Amino acid sequence: MKKYRNLAVKSTACILSAAMLFGSGFSAVAAGSDIPKDENVYVNLNQDGSVDGIYVVNAFRLEKETDIVDYGKYDSVKNLTTDEELTKKGDTITTTAPTGNFFYQGNLKTKEMPWEITIHYYLDGKEMQADELAGKNGSLKITIHVGKNDSVDEEFFENYLLQATVTMNMDNCSSLKAAGATVGNKGTSKQLVYNIMAGQEKDIVITADVLDFEMDPISFQGVPMSFDLDRDTLSMDSLYDKTGEIKDAANEFSDGAAELSDGAGALKDGAADLKDGANSLKEGIESYADGAYSLGDGVDTLKDGTDDLADGASELADGISSLKEGVDKLAGGYNGDEGAAAGAKKLAEGADKLKSGAGKLSDGVNSLVGMMQGIGKTDPLTQEKKEELVGLAQKVGYIEITDTNSVNAITLSGLSKYLQAQIIGILSSQGGGNAILEDKDSLKRLPEEQGKKDIQDTEETETADETDASEETEETEETEETEETEETMTAEEEPESTEEPPKSAEDSGKESNSEEDQGEADAAVSNVKYEKRYNAYTLATLDYQRKNWNDDRTKVMIIQAADLGTLPNPGDALVELLVAKAGVDQALGSYLAIGGIQGKLDDPTVQAQFKQLTEGASALKDGVASLADGAGSLADGISQLADGTNQLQSGVSELNDGGWELADGTKDLQSGVSDLADGVKELTDASDDLKDGSGQLADGTGDLFDGTSDLLDGVGELKDGTDEFKEKTSDIDEKIDEEVNNVITNFSGSDFTPLSFVSDKNTNVNLVQFIMKTEGIKIPEKGKTETVEEPLTFWQRLLNLFR
């Protein structure tokens, strides 16, 4: 504000100096191309800010009698110094001027100014014309907009300081508000001065309560903006210290990007090897699946044969020897250390190891991505932590956090304050350890007033609660819920107050005195207990710093200090709330800590690449998990197949040993083959799962490879960007100096060459200044005959501009 006040003072001094220079006769103006001149542009404004007319007073200071040649697009011209007539031919004005100061006036054809000024008047919220406001009462608002007029040479708008002056008579207005104005006293009036810097637009709002409203004219003065600013007085040392830190950070940033690029390259190579291995595994699993399908077809055929065997024992006897030999070989293929069952078990164990390795790989990739995202991630909390916070908010009834998307610094701050209130609530309420889950509404009460009442109510009902405790424990949850519902409905249906039978005056007086004495005693006890509990909260807060809430001595100390022994589990509830609040404060601190670097590395392209990498690793993990599950199913199926084959072998042996056991043997054989078919079906299903898992594994490793390739490209782009940033900041000190010098040059106005407002043929102009003014708002005098005023001289008009 001090800087702007200095600018206002300087700009006002410039305008007054220019006016005094003109009024004292030291202005000069161009004659032809050799004699300099000043152009004083007077603008009559309508009360809405539109231009009514423009006239220019051209001022010359001559050392001798001179033939003047001047240019301007005037409707008419008038000699203000002598009686000599001016000659006007088109845009050329000529005359012979005497020695000394010479002035002539030209009325311009145009009504265009470098500034567009719009003025609106409102009384009690309704827009009105200015002439309608005279003598009115009410709430007044005046708005003034000063903007650029694109139809006029922009050199004036870009290089001229414009000063607006509004005078408010404090005899007929009050509650004056004028934001951004420099306020001065002028008699009983307040003079509001607004400075509009070169090249800027401005909106002005003035409000006041008025009575018999009148207002002096609104004026605007425009002069070239020029301030004497000393570059040597501006200290840049602290700024240069900061730029040095920026350059050091740019170097570290560039080095880190280079290391990240190397790591991404190594990750890409590993992903390529993993992709090749997964493709080889996929091909092997497909071959294995084809074999499982063939085995399934064979077992189906075997099952058909055992069905026929059951129908005719004689046909079975002819081929039983051959069947036994085949079954023995089949059993030998499944059993033993080199059998299919042992191989399937080894395959399942290998798949489990592969699953573990894939999980570690996925965790490693996630850790790597987490480390990289830790540089500039947008959210300091994990999804799991957010879900915990959402659960905590739902648990304590804090409605501002509804899902993980609503977890942020603002809502966590609110939750921390809410938990603070709940801690105070426990110390001042009748609820204790179950306050979080069962009595959320009680925690929302005022901690001191409602808390004291709750403590008193608890003491009055303790005896009744202990008597009914054994009976309540025998009731079921369903009965409790039903009774609670009935009690709630009954409470809602009953009127707020009931009338009691009338009592005698004597009885009423005794009861009143007794209740009054009891109330004072209870209030004294309540105050003491509440103070003890509130002091215990301070003790609990300090003890929490010891990180020793599992120590029962701490809980006992808190309960005894707070006199909470009659409440259910109060220490646990207090501990739970304090731990919850500490966790919330820690999460809130994470938000505040990460805010400093958040967004600097939050590049959408890099985030997308991180996402592809983690998704690829996750897909790899899922694929290997499916592989492990399929291998386990394969091992189980082959084990069942081996059991079935053993049963078949036993049945064929028994069939070969005796015909009397033929019927029983064929039944066992049929049962065994059914189990074998089921096992083969499980084997084929497992092989399908294994095949699908190997395909997903191959696809996942392909995605991982593609993601690492994209990551490498993105890291390369990041490194290029950091190198460019390092290069751009290498000469930041020189650039700052250059910009500061440009700003100083713009404010000083040293690079502005005055030019004529009326014609570009006038090439030797010292000064062009603008004086713009509206009509005032006056109450018409009743019964006064209008008189014709004598025309004012040039000097009178000039002096009136500054009265």
Side-chain angles (χ1 to χ4, degrees), residues 213-233:
F213 178 66
E214 289 184 315
M215 189 175 72
D216 291 340
I218 300 174
S219 63
F220 302 86
Q221 293 82 34
V223 295
M225 189 171 74
S226 177
F227 298 106
D228 184 15
L229 299 178
D230 188 359
R231 173 65 174 84
D232 296 334
T233 62

Side-chain angles (χ1 to χ4, degrees), residues 424-430 442 445-460 519 521-534:
I424 299 297
I426 284 183
L427 297 173
S428 61
S429 68
Q430 66 181 2
S442 68
R445 302 171 185 165
L446 292 176
E448 294 185 5
E449 298 178 2
Q450 186 62 41
K452 293 178 180 180
K453 180 178 182 305
D454 290 341
I455 293 173
Q456 181 177 348
D457 293 342
T458 300
E459 293 172 348
E460 292 175 353
D522 291 343
V525 174
S526 174
N527 288 334
V528 171
K529 289 182 177 293
Y530 173 75
E531 291 297 329
K532 293 178 66 178
R533 293 181 179 181
Y534 187 84

Side-chain angles (χ1 to χ4, degrees), residues 582-610:
V584 172
D585 291 342
Q586 183 179 8
L588 177 59
S590 299
Y591 269 103
L592 299 178
I594 203 65
I597 61 171
Q598 195 172 30
K600 294 183 178 180
L601 299 177
D602 194 13
D603 188 334
T605 302
V606 175
Q607 294 296 325
Q609 293 166 353
F610 286 166

Side-chain angles (χ1 to χ4, degrees), residues 270-420:
D273 295 338
L274 181 62
K275 178 182 178 184
D276 294 339
N279 288 330
S280 300
L281 178 63
K282 178 182 177 183
E283 293 175 357
I285 294 298
E286 288 176 348
S287 299
Y288 174 77
D290 294 338
Y293 282 122
S294 299
L295 177 61
D297 295 339
V299 171
D300 288 339
T301 303
L302 177 61
K303 186 175 183 299
D304 294 338
T306 55
D307 291 338
D308 295 337
L309 179 62
D311 295 336
S314 58
E315 297 179 2
L316 177 61
D318 293 337
I320 194 171
S321 296
S322 299
L323 177 61
K324 184 177 182 303
E325 182 180 357
V327 170
D328 290 340
K329 292 181 179 180
L330 181 61
Y334 285 110
N335 298 322
D337 295 338
E338 302 298 329
K345 182 177 181 182
K346 292 179 180 179
L347 176 62
E349 292 174 353
D352 286 337
K353 293 180 180 179
L354 180 60
K355 178 180 178 181
S356 175
K360 292 179 180 179
L361 175 61
S362 177
D363 294 340
V365 170
N366 290 330
S367 298
L368 175 62
V369 172
M371 178 188 68
M372 291 185 289
Q373 288 180 328
I375 300 175
K377 63 183 180 180
T378 59
D379 197 327
L381 300 182
T382 63
Q383 187 69 15
E384 181 180 359
K385 185 63 178 178
K386 286 184 177 182
E387 291 175 355
E388 291 178 4
L389 291 170
V390 171
L392 173 61
Q394 293 175 349
K395 186 175 182 182
V396 300
Y398 183 66
I399 63 174
E400 297 299 327
I401 297 180
T402 58
D403 53 24
T404 56
N405 293 327
S406 62
V407 177
N408 53 52
I410 296 175
T411 56
L412 287 179
S413 177
L415 179 55
S416 177
K417 294 177 181 179
Y418 183 73
L419 290 174
Q420 175 79 0

